[in-house]
Amino acid sequence: MYFCNIIMKLRAVIERITYQNGENGYSILKARVKGYVDLVTLVGNMLDVTVGTVLVADGQWKVNRKYGSQFVVESYEEAMPATLFGLEKYLGSGLVKGIGPKFSKLIVAKFGMDTFDIIEHDSKRLAEVDGIGPKRIKKIHDSWMKQLDIKDVMVFLQGNGVSTAYAAKIYKTYGKESIDKVKANPYCLADDIWGIGFKTADSIAEKMGYGKNDERRCRSGILYTLNQLANEGHVYANRDQLVDASVKLLEAEKTAIESALDKMITDEDLKIEDEAIYLPSFYFSEVGTANKLKTLLTTRQQNMFEKEPDIAAISKKTGITYDDLQAEAIRTAVHNKVMVLTGGPGTGKTTTEDGIIAAFKEMGLHILLAAPTGRAAKRMTEATGMEAKTIHRLLEFNPAEGYKRNDENPLEGDALIIDECSMIDIVLMNSLLKAVPSDMRLLLVGDVDQLPSVGAGNVLRDIIDSGVVPVVRLTRIFRQAQTSRIIMNAHAINEGRMPDIRNGKQSDFFFMECEEPEQIASTIVDLVSHRLPKAYNVPRSSIQVLTPMQRSAIGANSLNMSIQQRVNPTGNGLTRAGFIFRKGDRVLQLKNDYTKEVFNGDIGLITAVNMEDRTLTVSFEGKSVEYESTELDELSLAYATTIHKSQGSEYPIVVIPLHFTNYVMLQRNLIYTAVTRAKKVCIVIGQKRALWYAVSHVTVTQRNTKLKERLQGKTVPMTYTYHDEETQTDMAAEDHTHNK
């Protein structure tokens, strides 16, 4: 690669987007530049620049040995187009709702360089264009005026390195106060706007002249570090751990970090217990969870039954013969306020759950059922024949008011059964328990050997390991389950034994040996697009690729683009963060969006793409949800997902790539979780030695949590200082775990 070390200014109209990295903003764009016959290649950090955008870019030329001449962009501004061609491209980009490529061409052909003036001051004249009626005129005019309203905000933000899409989000959040807010403290962006993390806010602050040791910067960096640790599952950080991580992140002086940290503790922006430092929401959630469980355990219910449940009668009612361990589980549930039921696949958790429900009904109890995700709740409904809700629905959550069900307005019922409890993090568990009245029974069901929650904590394992809650662990694999190699291999993996990888026509578990990542990837594309749908006579939507990592040749990102290229390669689509979203694509929701009522991990199908309005319509289990172009960072393609994202879901056919390029993630519980997601067929493709390494590797990162100790009474109780009870309740309801 050779550089011409002369800084030049280039005015370019973006023709197409070759590549965009959603994480670091690196983009490769093709642009039309006056004086150049061929399209010019622009490279640099230009996230969310759209087709039709006019850029005035500062940079320098380089010659790449492989790709030829490229213009390396160091900084840029967006400008209004100055040519008819530019006008057409700009209007057709979707920035102005109601105008797509078709009408853009017709409008510019009619009004030429007066187009913008006509739209702004004399929009009724748009009716002179065939096909444009009053409704579309109003839509175009309103959209154009909104663009003008935010123009000043856009100019300011883009001058400080903020992309168009993020600028729109900022304006949506702060309105006309956007400039004042960002000037006062750019780090508020990381706290208030999903998708804008600390690093983005920090780059803006740097452009605005903030020093490395600025207190506001140190404070934001500390919060970012705590949130990053939370994303890794930690409820708290040790003081030295937090200071060292913050110094490394900020490249600031240790004394400045420590000073900011001490002030945050004094101001109660953080909570400290011994040397453990918490975000307040996590502290109150952990203490609240422990206290409420202990209250439930020590509060006797008036209708506690001393009489032994009639297992034979329950068996007759359900049509299920229970073994000794299952019968013990039913008896334990009858005689205790709180109980945990755990076990692997094929051990009869669901049938035991049915027996407990039958026993509760015989006692005359009103039973509530819930699970962390929509898919898990749906499976629970199908298995029990009773309505099961998501925990958020059960607690009647809405974005404006939070959880309607809480300690002041508890749930109404006698018994609550929660499935897939390994997925529940400490904040959600606290919110749930606050709504459980002291006279309600609580049954927690889940497979403790699966991956822990994506959010902070290791709630189910901590409860089990505390020894204070009655636990029944089902271990017998039932005869009908023993015919499934998926189930038998899952147990083998969990016990540290190599699974049976002998392939056979009647098997439901297959191993395909491949040594090279590129070969694994191409085989997966072939399996998903052709071989598996044909062999099992199923739609492609029945097949899910589960991979250990997001990046690499067999990571979710790369596989998604390769599979899409094979199964859905053409048609109009919207581009965001390197992905193009077309009608017919499977997509994954990446964050909890309570307004839309879609949640992290939900998988849907794109049913419509509106190129004029720059919107997508996605169907989630029959529920239609619309996304604007600025919200597309909430989605990713879902032909392949990470194993972590598959928690609580099941798929008819699962394909799992394993290779030593992903050795960091090759863990026993990860592979166990992936295999147990398959209902009918599981295919592992890759290296035998990678599979064996994963099976034998159990060095799982320890999570910082004190729930076990709190349940055992080994930590100090929650102390109330400056905050009143209402404030504490509000703080505990906050969720600081969203990805930045």
Side-chain angles (χ1 to χ4, degrees), residues 475-487:
T475 55
R476 176 191 168 193
I477 305 173
F478 284 86
R479 186 177 298 171
Q480 60 266 36
Q482 292 179 18
T483 63
S484 168
R485 199 175 286 178
I486 290 175
I487 290 174

Side-chain angles (χ1 to χ4, degrees), residues 528-552:
V528 173
S529 64
H530 175 67
R531 290 165 63 180
L532 290 174
K534 183 179 179 182
Y536 293 97
N537 193 28
V538 295
R540 293 193 188 103
S541 58
S542 298
I543 307 163
Q544 186 63 53
V545 181
L546 300 180
T547 180
M549 297 185 76
Q550 199 69 253
R551 293 181 290 277
S552 84

Side-chain angles (χ1 to χ4, degrees), residues 156 177-188 208 210 216:
F156 168 76
E177 296 179 2
S178 298
I179 295 175
D180 291 338
K181 283 273 190 182
V182 176
K183 280 183 176 179
N185 182 9
Y187 294 102
C188 67
M208 294 174 63
Y210 279 64
R216 292 165 294 184

Side-chain angles (χ1 to χ4, degrees), residues 310-576:
D310 189 336
I311 302 299
I314 292 171
S315 182
K316 186 176 180 181
K317 188 173 183 178
T318 61
I320 299 164
T321 301
Y322 299 101
D323 69 4
D324 291 345
L325 206 50
Q326 289 178 304
E328 180 192 335
I330 295 171
R331 284 191 288 269
T332 303
V334 167
H335 294 314
N336 290 276
K337 285 286 295 301
V338 185
M339 174 189 151
V340 173
L341 177 67
T342 188
T347 58
K349 284 198 305 295
T350 300
T351 54
T352 306
E353 210 174 304
D354 284 340
I356 293 170
I357 289 172
F360 283 175
K361 285 182 176 178
E362 188 66 27
M363 295 161 61
L365 303 183
H366 175 55
I367 306 163
L368 305 176
L369 306 180
T373 67
R375 286 181 171 235
K378 185 179 179 183
R379 285 205 320 275
M380 199 179 187
T381 297
E382 292 167 351
T384 63
M386 298 170 61
E387 183 188 16
K389 298 179 179 179
T390 64
I391 294 174
H392 286 88
R393 274 192 63 210
L394 179 76
L395 301 181
E396 299 175 26
F397 182 89
N398 73 62
E401 302 177 26
Y403 297 108
K404 288 187 178 180
R405 294 288 182 176
N406 49 42
D407 47 0
E408 295 181 355
N409 181 31
L411 295 167
E412 296 169 12
D414 304 305
L416 172 63
I417 302 175
I418 306 293
D419 208 352
E420 295 286 357
C421 287
S422 63
M423 298 180 65
I424 302 178
D425 62 39
I426 193 65
V427 174
L428 183 58
M429 180 58 81
N430 182 55
S431 297
L432 175 66
L433 290 178
K434 282 197 292 186
V436 175
S438 59
D439 61 349
M440 180 176 275
R441 296 165 180 267
L442 179 65
L443 173 62
L444 303 174
V445 184
D447 185 350
V448 73
D449 294 318
Q450 288 196 32
L451 290 169
S453 61
V454 175
N458 202 350
V459 176
L460 183 62
R461 183 165 292 282
D462 282 350
I463 291 172
I464 292 172
D465 290 350
S466 72
V468 303
V469 175
V471 178
V472 177
R473 181 162 190 156
L474 304 176
T475 55
R476 176 191 168 193
I477 305 173
F478 284 86
R479 186 177 298 171
Q480 60 266 36
Q482 292 179 18
T483 63
S484 168
R485 199 175 286 178
I486 290 175
I487 290 174
M488 299 307 292
N489 279 345
H491 284 275
I493 291 167
N494 200 36
E495 294 164 9
R497 296 184 285 111
M498 189 69 172
D500 185 349
I501 57 174
R502 295 172 298 168
N503 297 327
K505 287 186 178 179
Q506 302 306 312
S507 180
D508 58 0
F509 186 101
F510 301 91
F511 181 81
M512 300 176 67
E513 190 165 10
C514 285
E515 280 297 322
E516 298 301 324
E518 292 75 16
Q519 184 188 4
I520 297 172
S522 65
T523 304
I524 288 173
V525 172
D526 195 38
L527 285 168
V528 173
S529 64
H530 175 67
R531 290 165 63 180
L532 290 174
K534 183 179 179 182
Y536 293 97
N537 193 28
V538 295
R540 293 193 188 103
S541 58
S542 298
I543 307 163
Q544 186 63 53
V545 181
L546 300 180
T547 180
M549 297 185 76
Q550 199 69 253
R551 293 181 290 277
S552 84
I554 56 171
N557 288 345
S558 179
L559 288 172
N560 270 318
M561 287 189 281
S562 297
I563 295 170
Q564 183 194 48
Q565 188 59 35
R566 181 70 65 86
V567 304
N568 195 24
T570 59
N572 290 328
L574 300 180
T575 302
R576 171 75 176 183

Side-chain angles (χ1 to χ4, degrees), residues 145-155 167-168 171-172:
M145 295 310 294
K146 186 179 178 181
Q147 292 289 325
L148 290 182
D149 286 342
I150 66 174
K151 185 179 176 183
D152 290 342
V153 174
M154 291 286 190
V155 169
Y171 184 83
K172 192 174 181 179

